[in-house]
Amino acid sequence: MNHLSIGMTAPDFTALTTFGMLRMSDLKGKWVVFFSHPGDFTPVCTTEFIAFTKEIEQFNQLGVQLIGLSIDSNPSHLAWANSIRELTGLCLPFPIVADRVGDIAKLYGMIAPEVTTTETVRNVYIIDPEQKIRCILIYPLTTGRYIPEIIRIIEALQTADCENVVTPANWQPGDPVLVPPPKKSSEVRKRQTDPGSLGLDCYEWYLCFKKKD
């Protein structure tokens, strides 16, 4: 079983999906949300796929490619996607990887042996355009994912990358952002004496918000 952590390069693979063949490295330049589910035709997974689909415009605006995976066959994925379409009128707008042997699931550590060796748990890997893993979320089999939180994390990561800032607890897009702590004593003194010249609102030298333009 592979162990992945934040900052590692997402392992490459080529696999059959409901959209045809897919190679992870071909997605370089895009943000990717790669997520696993325990199995097709299961209640929690069905609600998750519906929820992902309903938020597809927001994912598209953020430049995100969604990819699902389970240890089910491509015919099973296709039949389940068709069932969701018949039930809801929604066409799943992202590919689902067929990982029948479980090689990709093992590569990404998507199986929790202490829980089950025959299903993937609910892993989420948020991968940046350089194919670096930026966030890992793992949910138990019984608990469906909260899709707005996944979107919030992506927006927080993109904001941090673009503005060289960090986001505080409970941050939502549009909220004030923090700046990283200073690394030199001169920066500490500047924040203490004249934070305004740095474009900051400081409660203390280590707790400074970036002023809005």
Side-chain angles (χ1 to χ4, degrees):
M1 189 70 62
N2 205 9
H3 175 73
L4 300 181
S5 59
I6 291 174
M8 293 178 64
T9 299
D12 198 13
F13 64 84
T14 301
L16 178 63
T17 80
T18 50
F19 283 23
M21 297 303 295
L22 179 146
R23 184 176 180 181
M24 175 61 80
S25 56
D26 287 342
L27 297 173
K28 188 171 184 178
K30 298 192 64 152
W31 287 83
V32 175
V33 171
F34 184 33
F35 62 97
S36 57
H37 64 282
D40 299 345
F41 298 101
T42 54
V44 177
C45 299
T46 300
T47 62
E48 289 182 320
F49 274 57
I50 291 170
F52 272 119
T53 299
K54 287 183 176 179
E55 298 295 343
I56 193 61
E57 286 304 318
Q58 195 157 1
F59 283 112
N60 287 342
Q61 289 171 12
L62 295 170
V64 175
Q65 172 67 59
L66 298 174
I67 306 172
L69 174 144
S70 77
I71 304 177
D72 288 295
S73 67
N74 197 55
S76 175
H77 289 333
L78 291 169
W80 183 41
N82 187 60
S83 175
I84 291 173
R85 181 189 60 79
E86 291 178 339
L87 287 170
T88 67
L90 297 172
C91 293
L92 299 185
F94 51 85
I96 312 172
V97 172
D99 188 28
R100 202 72 188 96
V101 180
D103 289 342
I104 301 169
K106 293 172 185 173
L107 188 64
Y108 275 79
M110 291 173 163
I111 297 173
E114 293 78 7
V115 177
T116 175
T117 58
T118 60
E119 297 173 309
T120 48
V121 292
R122 302 182 197 283
N123 291 65
V124 180
Y125 291 91
I126 298 177
I127 302 166
D128 72 15
E130 296 301 316
Q131 300 255 285
K132 297 296 183 182
I133 296 171
R134 300 291 298 276
C135 181
I136 301 172
L137 305 170
I138 304 176
Y139 296 73
L141 299 175
T142 57
T143 305
R145 285 164 277 222
Y146 185 53
I147 310 307
E149 172 62 3
I150 296 172
I151 293 171
R152 188 192 77 90
I153 292 170
I154 295 166
E155 293 194 82
L157 290 169
Q158 292 182 353
T159 298
D161 288 353
C162 290
E163 301 183 25
N164 191 29
V165 295
V166 292
T167 52
N170 298 327
W171 180 85
Q172 294 290 334
D175 287 352
V177 294
L178 293 159
V179 293
K183 295 182 179 180
K184 298 186 292 187
S185 58
S186 60
E187 294 173 353
V188 172
R189 290 193 297 272
K190 188 68 172 176
R191 289 190 185 191
Q192 288 176 321
T193 58
D194 192 14
S197 67
L198 301 174
L200 304 177
D201 285 319
C202 293
Y203 290 91
E204 248 301 353
W205 58 266
Y206 60 86
L207 184 60
C208 295
F209 287 85
K210 182 179 179 181
K211 285 185 176 181
K212 289 188 176 182
D213 296 332

